[in-house]
C-alpha cells in the first residue's frame, strides 16, 4: 500500500478541487445555496396520491377519520411542505414568503378539479387497454397513469410560474416510467398512454381531449437548438380531439397541427399538418426478404 | 400570509374531495379495501432472487446453512408472503384462503423448473453479448436478465390466474429496465434481450426457443383499442425458434407469424408473416445528403 | 389448508434446488463468493456527486468545513470504499490489495479533471435545451446530465481495467434514465443528451467534442452476435466533432464514421460513413392519408 502516494495525491487533488469550486460559473461551495429538495418534492407527490386516491395510497389509521378531516389534514401537510419548497426556489424570499404561501393556497384550491381530471384519465387508461383487468390495477401498476398523475400536479405549478419543482416532478416520473411529459404541455381530458417507454411531450405541446399515445410517440421540436429566442412561439405540435398516435411515431414542430379524429399509424414521421378525420399510415418500408440456409 | 384564505380554501376543497370520494365509480374511501401491496410483492421477488441465485443475492449468515435448509427456509417465507398477497386479490376470501394457499404451493413446486429456465437464459444473455465479461456480471447488472427473471416468476402466477400481482411484478421490471413484458406472454428457453429500453412484448405473444430481442423491439397489437371483445383471439405475433429481432423493429398483430431461423433487421415494420429461414432487412430509408458551409 | 402437501412440496423442491446449486456451471452456493456490492457502488457514485458538486449534493454540516478539508475528507471516503469494492473483483486478492489501492489512488488523481469535463457537459446541456431555465435545474433534474456524470466516473475505472464495477455503474444510470452508455465508449467534451430514453452508446464507440444526442439515438454494432472474436476491432461507430444526432436515429457498425459538423435528422438509419459538413435527412416515409367518416 503506497499510503504516502495516496496522501500526496489527495492533498494535491483537494487543492485543485477547492480552486475549481471557486472559479466555477455556478455556485459550488458554501452553505448559502437555497434550492428545493428532490426528496421533499417526491414526498409532496406521495401526499397528493394519498389525498386524491385515499384507499389506494393512504395510511390505514388516517383512513378511519371522516373523509373531510382526512383530506383537510393532508391538504394542511401539502400546503406546508409546498410553501417551504417553493420558498426555496425564490432567492429573494425569507422563510415567511407570501408569494409561495399564496401559490400553495391556489394549488390546494385546484386539487378537486385535478382529481376529477385524473378520474377521467383513469377511465381512459382502463378502457383503452384490452389487457387491463380493472381500474384498480391500472391505478396501482400502470406507468402511463402514474406519469399522467404527476403531469397534472406539475402542470398546475408550472402554470403558477413555480421554478424547478415542476421539472423535478416530471423527471421523477420520467425516471420511473420512461415517459417524459414536460410540465408546460397543455393536455385535455381522458388522456391515455400505453406502455409509454420513450414517449416525449415537449414544453409547448397542446393536446386535446380523448387522445391516446403509444410507446415511443414523440411530440417534439424541429432543431430545438437555438429556438429559445422567442419564448412565445410554439415549438411543438398541436393535437386535436379524439386522436390516436401509435408506437414510435414522431411529430415535430410548432407548425404541425393534427386535426380532430386523426389516427397516426406506427412509425410515422410528420413535420407538417394533418387534416381532421384522416388516417395516416406509413407504407411498410421497403424490405428485402432473403432466404438463407438453402439446401439441396 | 393570508391564513384566513388558506383555511377557507382548505375547508371548501375538503368538502369537495369528500363528495368526490363518495360519487366515484371506484372505491375511494374507507378501511375496507383489500389489495396486494406493491412493496410486499417486490419483497417476494427479492426472496425469489435469494432462492434461485443464492450467492448473488442471499444473506451471508443464512448461506452458512446446508443448501436444503436454506432453500426450504426461503420457500416457507415465499409461501407465506405469497399466500397473503394472493388472498388480498380475492375479495371473497378471508385470512385463511385455501385457494391462495394452494396456488402458492403450486408456485413453489415450479421453482426448480423456473431456476433451470433462468440458468439457460443466463447462458443466452452471456453468450449473446460480446461486451459481457462474465455470467456473474450479466446476472448482477444486465437489465435484460432482470426483466426475464421477473417475467418467469410473474408468468407462473399469471398461468395460475392470480389477479393484479403478475402485472405489479412486470411493471416493477418495466420501471427498472424500460422492458415491458406482459406476464401473459409465452416465451421459450434461452431468451435474450440486449439493452432492452423500449422493448414491448404483448399479452398474447408466443415466442419460441433461442430468440434474441434488441432495444425497442415491439411485439404488439394492431389497433389495440376495441380488440378486447374476444379474449381467446391472439392479438400479438407468434415468433418461431432461433429468431433475432434487431433494434427498434415493430411486429404487430395476431396473424403475424415469424418462422424459425428468421433474422429481422433494425427498424423493420411488419404486419404480416415471414417464412422460415428468411432474412428481413429494411432498405435504408431514402436520405438526402446536403453539404453545408459551402465556402468560396 | 393442505399443509401436508405444502410440506411435501417444499421438501422435494428444496432437494431439487440443492442439486441444482451443485450442478450449475456458475458458483451458486456457499459463503466464499467475493463480488462488488451494488449498493456500495451506488454509494461511491453519491460520494462523487458530493465531491464534484458540493452545494447540490453535499451534507449541510460538512459544507461548513474549508473546501480543501471537505474535498480531502470525501476523497478519503471514496478511496477507502473504492479500494474495498475493487478488491472484491479480484479473486486472487486478500483484504490488503495493492493493485486495488493503486487504482483508487489513480482514480482520485483524475477527479479534478473529471470535474472540469462535467462543468463543460453542464454548459452543453444547459445551452442545448431551450426548455432549461438554469444550470442548477439541469444539474439536479436532467437525466442526460446524470447519465453523463456516471459515464465519466465509470469510464475512468474502465480505463483502469476494473471489472464489473463500471458496468454496475452504467446500468444504474440506465435504470434511472433509460440511457445506456457503455463505460468503454470514448466521449469528448461538451457532450449533450436530451430526453435520453432509449439512447444506446456501445462499448467501442468514439465520440468527438460538442456532440448532441436526442432520445432513442443508437450508436450500435452490426449483428453483435459472434463479433467478440477480435476484441481489438471497433464494433461501433466513430463520430466527429460538432455532430447532432436527432431522435431515434440508428447508426451501426465500426466502419461507420461520421465526419465533423454533420447533422443526422430524426429516424435515420445509417450503416455507412458520412462526409464532414453534411446534413442527412430522411425523406419522410411514404404515408397514406385516407379520409374516414365520409358523410353525405
Amino acid at each position: 500500500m503506497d499510503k504516502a502516494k495516496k496522501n500526496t495525491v489527495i492533498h494535491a487533488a483537494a487543492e485543485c478541487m477547492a480552486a475549481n469550486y471557486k472559479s466555477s460559473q455556478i455556485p459550488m461551495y458554501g452553505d448559502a445555496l437555497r434550492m428545493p429538495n428532490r426528496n421533499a418534492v417526491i414526498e409532496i407527490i406521495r401526499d397528493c396520491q394519498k389525498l386524491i386516491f385515499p384507499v389506494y395510497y393512504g395510511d390505514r389509521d388516517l383512513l378511519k377519520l371522516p373523509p373531510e378531516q382526512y383530506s383537510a389534514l393532508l391538504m394542511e401537510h401539502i400546503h406546508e411542505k409546498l410553501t417551504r419548497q417553493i420558498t426555496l426556489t425564490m432567492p429573494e424570499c425569507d422563510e415567511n414568503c407570501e408569494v409561495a404561501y399564496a401559490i400553495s393556497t391556489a394549488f390546494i384550491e385546484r386539487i378537486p378539479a385535478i382529481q376529477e381530471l385524473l378520474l377521467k384519465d383513469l377511465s381512459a387508461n382502463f378502457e383503452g387497454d384490452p389487457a387491463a383487468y380493472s381500474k384498480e390495477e391500472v391505478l396501482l401498476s400502470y406507468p402511463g397513469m402514474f406519469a399522467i398523475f404527476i403531469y397534472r400536479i406539475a402542470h398546475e405549478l408550472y402554470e403558477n410560474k413555480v421554478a424547478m419543482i415542476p421539472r423535478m416532478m416530471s423527471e421523477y416520473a420520467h425516471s420511473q416510467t420512461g415517459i417524459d411529459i414536460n410540465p408546460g404541455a397543455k393536455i385535455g381530458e381522458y388522456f391515455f398512454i400505453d406502455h409509454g417507454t420513450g414517449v416525449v411531450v415537449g414544453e409547448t405541446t397542446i393536446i386535446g381531449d380523448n387522445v391516446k399515445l403509444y410507446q415511443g410517440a414523440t411530440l417534439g421540436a424541429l432543431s430545438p437548438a437555438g429556438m429559445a429566442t422567442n419564448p412565445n412561439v410554439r415549438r411543438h405540435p398541436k393535437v386535436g380531439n379524439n386522436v390516436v398516435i401509435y408506437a414510435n411515431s414522431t411529430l415535430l414542430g410548432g407548425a404541425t397541427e393534427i386535426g380532430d379524429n386523426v389516427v397516426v399509424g406506427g412509425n410515422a414521421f410528420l413535420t407538417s399538418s394533418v387534416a381532421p378525420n384522416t388516417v395516416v399510415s406509413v407504407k411498410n418500408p421497403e424490405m428485402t426478404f432473403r432466404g438463407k440456409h438453402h439446401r439441396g
Side-chain angles (χ1 to χ4, degrees), chain A residues 131-277:
Chain A
Y133 289 102
S134 69
K135 283 189 180 176
E136 287 82 347
E137 185 182 35
V138 172
L139 186 55
L140 287 173
S141 298
Y142 277 41
M145 193 60 214
F146 185 67
I148 293 167
F149 183 95
I150 289 184
Y151 158 74
R152 299 258 180 235
I153 302 291
H155 178 64
E156 204 58 42
L157 299 173
Y158 179 97
E159 289 286 297
N160 277 295
K161 314 241 180 288
V162 175
M164 296 186 84
I165 297 172
R167 186 66 182 251
M168 272 186 170
M169 290 179 164
S170 68
E171 287 301 344
Y172 175 62
H174 187 191
S175 78
Q176 297 296 304
T177 65
I179 298 168
D180 183 356
I181 308 177
N182 191 293
K186 292 183 198 304
I187 302 178
E189 301 185 338
Y190 295 99
F191 185 44
F192 169 71
I193 300 176
D194 202 7
H195 305 299
T197 308
V199 163
V200 172
V201 177
E203 187 180 22
T204 64
T205 306
I206 298 175
I207 292 178
D209 297 335
N210 286 306
V211 169
K212 296 183 206 296
L213 299 186
Y214 288 81
Q215 69 271 19
T218 294
L219 298 165
L222 275 165
S223 340
M227 297 193 80
T229 39
N230 186 343
N232 296 315
V233 169
R234 191 152 51 74
R235 308 188 303 277
H236 304 94
K238 179 176 177 180
V239 174
N241 300 315
N242 311 311
V243 170
V244 185
I245 301 176
Y246 282 115
N248 301 318
S249 279
T250 304
L251 287 67
L252 300 180
T256 299
E257 305 206 354
I258 307 300
D260 292 347
N261 312 310
V262 165
V263 176
V264 178
N267 269 26
F269 187 81
L270 285 165
T271 55
S272 54
S273 295
V274 175
N277 305 309

